[in-house]
Amino acid sequence: MSDDAPSLHPPPELAELAPGFVPTLASRPDADAGAITTWRLDGPGGVARFAKVAPAGHAVPLRREAERAIWAAAYLPVPRVLALEATGPVTVLLTEALPGRDGTDPSWRRDLARHVGALGRGLRTFHDAVGDEWCPFRFDVATALDHVAGRVASGQVDPADFHSEHAHLSAEGALAELEAAAPADEELVVCHGDYCVPNVLLQAGAVTGYVDLGALGVADRWWDIAVGGWSTTWNFGDDLEPAFYEGYGIDPDPERIRWYRLLYDLAG
């Protein structure tokens, strides 16, 4: 991604939705021209907001996230949705900033074992916040298998994007393995759906908020546990993964961990 790429300049629509706020690029997930960009907006009196900007034809993830954040706000510390606007050539999701620093902040490295345990406890708090019967969004095993089968059939799964554990598999081979080993039972909770270290905010060593909620839905608790533990290995190394399970209060289940991590690579 070159520094002079036009898409790196703040879209003028931000000034319309948040007048007086100064935008700074916070993240751009990949180098594709259609990628959603995230901007931090700093305003008077230290007020901060975030804006996710999607070009025309790419607004569905923002609508999904807005719907889920609005629902979850009654139960969990998640960003309050201020606006979801299709304006000009883009769609913008505008939210309030939450207190805390994300789980990758260098300040947490002073005591990584404690930090990883806090991430596990934060996930348990998420799962215990509300009964799954109240959530209108679902990603149980049957729903997940339908989703990934559709992605494979339509050519949306690129095995080059798989993590190293699955690099030997084709898209079709990964789907066949997933279908053959599907869990026979589930312990359903409201899951975050992408419980990775950067999507968790903390203060004073405790989780204070959750962001990037576009995949939130009812699923087996191991959907989040497997990915959360995996994310700690990406960010802090393999040795600290047990601290995540200990913080959550559960013994590792290798079969479910393996299955949900393969699902993660296929689900997109």
Side-chain angles (χ1 to χ4, degrees), residues 177-195:
E177 185 171 311
L178 199 73
E179 291 173 335
D185 59 288
E186 304 171 80
E187 189 175 352
L188 297 176
V189 297
V190 177
C191 283
H192 180 284
D194 192 13
Y195 195 82

Side-chain angles (χ1 to χ4, degrees), residues 87-179:
T87 174
V90 300
T91 297
V92 181
L93 173 60
L94 183 67
T95 61
E96 286 185 345
L98 293 174
R101 298 188 298 271
D102 83 62
T104 66
D105 191 274
S107 63
W108 305 125
R109 292 185 172 273
R110 289 192 289 267
D111 190 345
L112 280 178
R114 180 183 177 189
H115 177 54
V116 172
L119 292 169
R121 288 189 293 276
L123 180 57
R124 187 59 179 252
T125 298
F126 194 104
H127 288 169
D128 290 348
V130 58
D132 65 280
E133 68 272 17
W134 300 105
C135 182
F137 313 108
R138 302 196 67 83
F139 202 65
D140 51 47
V141 167
T143 303
L145 288 173
D146 284 346
H147 171 73
V148 297
R151 295 192 78 238
V152 170
S154 59
Q156 297 179 63
V157 176
D158 183 354
D161 296 330
F162 287 173
H163 289 87
S164 59
E165 293 90 332
H166 309 134
H168 62 289
L169 295 169
S170 65
E172 294 77 11
L175 176 61
E177 185 171 311
L178 199 73
E179 291 173 335

Side-chain angles (χ1 to χ4, degrees), residues 103-105 108-109 112 115-116 119 197 231-240:
T104 66
D105 191 274
W108 305 125
R109 292 185 172 273
L112 280 178
H115 177 54
V116 172
L119 292 169
V197 174
S231 180
T232 65
T233 70
W234 306 332
N235 287 275
F236 310 123
D238 294 347
D239 291 346
L240 289 164

Side-chain angles (χ1 to χ4, degrees), residues 11-21 41 49-53 82-88 90-95:
E13 291 78 11
L14 295 184
E16 300 172 14
L17 287 173
F21 284 73
L41 307 175
R49 296 174 177 173
F50 282 90
K52 290 189 175 183
V53 181
L82 301 174
L84 178 65
E85 298 281 347
T87 174
V90 300
T91 297
V92 181
L93 173 60
L94 183 67
T95 61

